[in-house]
C-alpha cells in the first residue's frame, strides 16, 4: 500500500503514472495506491483517479482517493508526503514553519496510529528536512531510520551540471553529494565524485581542472536551479522532482548499485562528520535490504567543512523555531 | 548502442508534452537501447517556458537523451526526422465557431506538412494528436505528397484505452485483461466504441465481452456515451485536460508502430481509409482496427458488422467528410 499526499497537485500528477507502471517498485509488484488531499480538492482528485483508470495500468490493483487521514494512513508500506503548505506572498518564514508543523505533526501521529511499523516515509513537501523531523518526532513507535527527505533532485541537478560541463551524459557521473538542508544553504560537493571519460573513471575535480567553477558557479547554479525553472516555466519543477522521488524510493526498495552512493536527508544520529545529532540532514548513503547506512570516512577539506556547518546551523535554527510550535500545534 | 533517432514533439511547452517527454526520454517508447535526439517545437511566445522544460529534462539525467533541441523554427524542427509527434494545435476559444477552428488549424498543419515534405526523412512516421486530430492529420498528409500516406496516423488510442478501462471496471478485472476493442471514425463525440469483437480474460478463460457482460443495452448505450464524453468529464473534474492519460496513449500508439502489435491483438489508429473493406469512403482519415508489423500497419479484415455498428460507423464517416470539405475550402488560401 502506497500513499501519496498532495495527490491533486503538480508533482503528484507527474509522479503517479511512474509509480503505477512499475518503474519504482518493479514490474512484478502490484500496488494499492492511496491518494490524499484536502477536502476542497476532492473533485480534482476524482479527475486524477479517472485518468489513472484510463491509463490501464496492470499493476494498480486499486486506487483510493480520500481526504481522511484514518483512511489514507491505514496499513501503509510506503508514504510519500508531497503535500505541504506552500509559501504565499507576504508570508514570513515563521508562519510557513508554523503551518507545516501542524500538518506534519498530524500526519506523523496518523502514521504512528494506522500505518505498519515497517512503513518507509519519504518527505518531499517543503521545508522537507524540518517537516520530516516533525513527522518522525510525532511517530515515536516508528524507527527514526524509516524517515527520509528528498535531496535527490539537487543530487540529480548536480550530476546534470557536471555532465553538461564535461559533455557526457549524467549517467556517467556518480558519487556527487548533497550535504544538509534542501534549501539555498545546501552544499553540492563533488570532491568524491567520479566521471567516466573515454572509458576510464576519473575524479571530477581532476577531470574539470576548474576548482573555482566547482566551488563557485557550480554550487550556486545547483542551489538556485529550482528558482531558475520556476522563472522560466512559471510553475515549479514537477517533472524532475517526480523523477527524483522515483530514484529515491527505488533505491530504498532495491538498494544502491555497487560502488555508488546517493544523497538522502536522514536522521543525523551517529554520523562521523561532525554534524550535530538529532537533525534531519542530507548525507551520502548506501542502501541494502531497505536499510541505509552513512558512507563513512570521506575526507572533508576546510571549504567543505565551512559549508557543511553553515547548513547545519540553518537546520538547527529551523528545528528550534518549528518546535516552539510543536506542543501547541 | 544504435544510431540516435530524431524525434520531434510540437506543442512542446504545453500540458500533454510535459507528461509525455519523460516517457520518451526514459526508453519506454523506443526501447532501452535506442538513443534519442529530442526536438521540441513551440511558438515564439513560449520559448522561455520551453527553456524551463529543457532544464528539467537535463535534471532528469536520462541516459538515452543524447541531445535536446528547443526551437520555434520549422526548418530546425523538421530536419531529418524519424518520428514527428504533432501535439500542438490551435485550441478552441470561447465564441469560436467550428469553421474558425478548422481554418486556423489547416494553416498550421499545411505548413507543418510542407516542412515534413521538405526537411524530414521520407521514412518519417507522423502521429497527429492536436485536435481536430483526424482532419489535421489529413491536411498534413496532403501537404506532404512525397511522404507515403501510410506514414501518417492520428491518435484514437486514448479513446481505445478508455473503452478498455470502462469494460474492465464493469467486470472487475484490470484493463490489461480486455483486448480488441475498436474505436471507429473521428476522435470526436461521433466516435464509435465497438466491443462486438472484444475479449476479456475471466478466471483464466477468454470470453467475448458481450457474452461476459450480458448487458447489451449498457454496451450500446451508457458505455458508448461514457467513452465519448470521458474527455469532458476529466476536464470538468480537473479543470485541465487529460494530459497524463493522453501521454500514456501516445506512448502506446508510437510503441506499437515501432515494435508491432502483440500476436492475436489489434489496436485502434486513425489512418487513411483507402482500400478498406468496411464501406468507409476512401480518402478520409478514419480510425480503424489495425495490426502492425515492421513499422507498417494493416487493416484487420473481415470483422462482421451488424446494423447498429453500421449506423454508427456511417455517422462518424459523414462528420469526417463534412469536416474535410470545410477544411479544404481553406487549404488553397492557407
Amino acid at each position: 500500500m502506497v500513499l501519496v499526499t498532495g495527490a491533486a497537485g503538480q508533482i503528484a500528477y507527474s509522479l503517479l503514472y511512474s509509480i503505477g507502471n512499475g518503474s519504482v517498485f518493479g514490474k512484478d509488484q502490484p500496488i494499492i495506491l492511496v491518494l490524499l488531499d484536502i477536502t476542497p480538492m476532492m473533485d480534482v482528485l476524482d479527475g486524477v483517479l479517472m485518468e489513472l483508470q484510463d491509463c490501464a495500468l496492470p499493476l494498480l490493483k486499486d486506487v483510493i482517493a480520500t481526504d481522511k487521514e484514518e483512511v489514507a494512513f491505514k496499513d501503509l508500506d510506503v508514504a510519500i508526503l508531497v503535500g505541504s503548505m506552500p509559501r504565499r506572498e507576504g508570508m514570513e518564514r515563521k508562519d510557513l514553519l508554523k503551518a507545516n508543523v501542524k500538518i506534519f505533526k498530524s500526519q506523523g501521529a496518523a502514521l504512528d496510529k494506522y500505518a505498519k511499523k515497517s512503513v518507509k516515509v519519504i518527505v518531499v513537501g517543503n521545508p522537507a528536512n524540518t517537516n520530516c523531523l516533525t513527522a518522525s518526532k510525532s511517530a515515536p513507535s516508528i524507527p527514526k531510520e524509516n524517515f527520509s527527505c528528498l535531496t535527490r533532485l539537487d543530487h540529480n541537478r548536480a550530476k546534470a551540471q557536471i555532465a553538461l560541463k564535461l559533455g557526457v551524459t549524467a549517467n556517467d557521473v556518480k558519487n556527487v553529494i548533497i550535504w544538509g538542508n534542501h534549501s539555498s544553504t545546501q552544499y553540492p560537493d563533488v570532491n568524491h565524485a567520479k566521471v567516466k571519460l573515454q572509458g576510464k573513471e576519473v575524479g571530477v575535480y581532476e577531470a574539470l581542472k576548474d576548482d573555482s567553477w566547482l566551488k563557485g558557479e557550480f554550487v550556486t547554479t545547483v542551489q538556485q536551479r529550482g528558482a531558475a525553472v520556476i522563472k522560466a516555466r512559471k510553475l515549479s519543477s514537477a517533472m524532475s522532482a517526480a523523477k527524483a522521488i522515483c530514484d529515491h524510493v527505488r533505491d530504498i526498495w532495491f538498494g544502491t548499485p555497487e560502488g555508488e552512493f546517493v544523497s538522502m536527508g536522514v536522521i543525523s544520529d551517529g554520523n562521523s562528520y561532525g554534524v550535530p545529532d538529532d537533525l534531519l540532514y542530507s548525507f551520502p548513503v548506501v542502501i541494502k535490504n531497505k536499510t541505509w547506512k552513512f558512507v563513512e570516512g570521506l575526507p572533508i577539506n576546510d571549504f567543505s567543512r565551512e559549508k557543511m556547518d553553515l547548513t547545519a546551523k540553518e537546520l538547527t535554527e529551523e528545528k528550534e523555531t518549528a518546535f516552539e510550535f510543536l506542543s501547541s500545534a
Side-chain angles (χ1 to χ4, degrees), chain A:
Chain A
M1 298 222 27
V2 180
L3 166 69
V4 177
T5 68
Q10 298 266 346
I11 290 179
Y13 196 68
S14 287
L15 172 65
L16 296 175
Y17 178 68
S18 292
I19 294 179
N21 76 357
S23 8
V24 182
F25 300 102
K27 306 278 178 193
D28 299 312
Q29 177 62 66
I31 294 167
I32 295 170
L33 190 54
V34 187
L35 311 176
L36 175 72
D37 216 304
I38 56 178
T39 312
M41 297 304 281
M42 284 299 104
D43 281 343
V44 176
L45 201 52
D46 207 40
V48 176
L49 196 107
M50 281 190 244
E51 284 213 71
L52 283 167
Q53 289 166 346
D54 295 347
C55 283
L57 294 161
L59 291 172
L60 279 191
K61 290 301 158 226
D62 200 2
V63 185
I64 300 163
T66 183
D67 54 357
K68 297 177 176 40
E69 280 182 353
E70 62 271 24
V71 174
F73 285 89
K74 197 156 174 23
D75 296 335
L76 290 183
D77 295 286
V78 180
I80 305 173
L81 309 184
V82 180
S84 65
M85 176 75 72
R87 168 171 255 141
R88 299 197 195 299
E89 289 248 37
M91 219 178 187
E92 290 281 339
R93 186 184 182 72
K94 246 181 148 66
D95 307 315
L96 190 71
L97 285 168
K98 184 174 182 180
N100 278 297
V101 163
K102 191 163 191 271
I103 295 171
F104 284 86
K105 176 181 178 176
S106 176
Q107 293 192 348
L111 282 162
D112 198 61
K113 193 167 175 185
Y114 300 113
K116 291 181 180 168
K117 296 306 169 200
S118 55
V119 68
K120 299 288 185 272
V121 184
I122 299 96
V123 178
V124 178
N126 280 317
N129 302 56
T130 300
N131 287 342
C132 187
L133 192 61
T134 304
S136 176
K137 296 282 182 191
S138 310
S141 72
I142 296 171
K144 295 189 237 186
E145 295 71 30
N146 290 27
F147 287 81
S148 58
C149 85
L150 190 78
T151 50
R152 187 59 171 268
L153 179 51
D154 312 292
H155 178 102
N156 287 352
R157 285 167 170 166
K159 281 172 62 164
Q161 289 302 313
I162 299 295
L164 279 169
K165 193 85 171 164
L166 285 167
V168 298
T169 56
N171 252 51
D172 292 328
V173 180
K174 65 181 197 188
N175 295 352
V176 305
I177 303 167
I178 303 291
W179 298 98
N181 198 6
H182 175 62
S183 74
S184 56
T185 66
Q186 62 172 267
Y187 169 45
D189 171 7
V190 296
N191 282 290
H192 310 287
K194 302 237 182 295
V195 59
K196 202 185 291 180
L197 279 180
Q198 286 124 24
K200 283 200 340 206
E201 228 168 56
V202 187
V204 165
Y205 265 85
E206 204 189 309
L208 263 165
K209 303 195 196 330
D210 191 349
D211 287 21
S212 75
W213 182 82
L214 281 168
K215 293 183 180 186
E217 203 185 312
F218 164 69
V219 169
T220 51
T221 299
V222 174
Q223 286 172 344
Q224 294 164 12
R225 184 70 154 184
V229 172
I230 291 182
K231 186 157 182 252
R233 287 195 67 230
K234 312 288 183 281
L235 290 166
S236 69
S237 40
M239 188 207 301
S240 44
K243 201 263 178 181
I245 296 167
C246 289
D247 289 343
H248 178 123
V249 178
R250 190 190 311 110
D251 283 349
I252 290 179
W253 215 250
F254 291 105
T256 42
E258 193 67 41
E260 278 188 55
F261 51 80
V262 294
S263 305
M264 257 169 59
V266 292
I267 192 74
S268 60
D269 298 3
N271 82 90
S272 56
Y273 291 103
V275 175
D277 277 358
D278 205 43
L279 287 184
L280 210 299
Y281 189 100
S282 182
F283 287 93
V285 297
V286 287
I287 308 168
K288 199 173 166 172
N289 297 326
K290 295 190 176 69
T291 307
W292 60 267
K293 277 191 348 198
F294 295 115
V295 173
E296 305 279 17
L298 298 170
I300 304 295
N301 58 35
D302 291 343
F303 179 80
S304 297
R305 180 82 260 152
E306 196 193 321
K307 292 228 165 281
M308 287 165 67
D309 290 344
L310 202 73
T311 184
K313 184 162 175 289
E314 184 186 57
L315 273 172
T316 308
E317 288 166 0
E318 228 175 77
K319 171 185 162 185
E320 283 164 6
T321 309
F323 285 18
E324 282 175 32
F325 305 119
L326 198 54
S327 36
S328 56

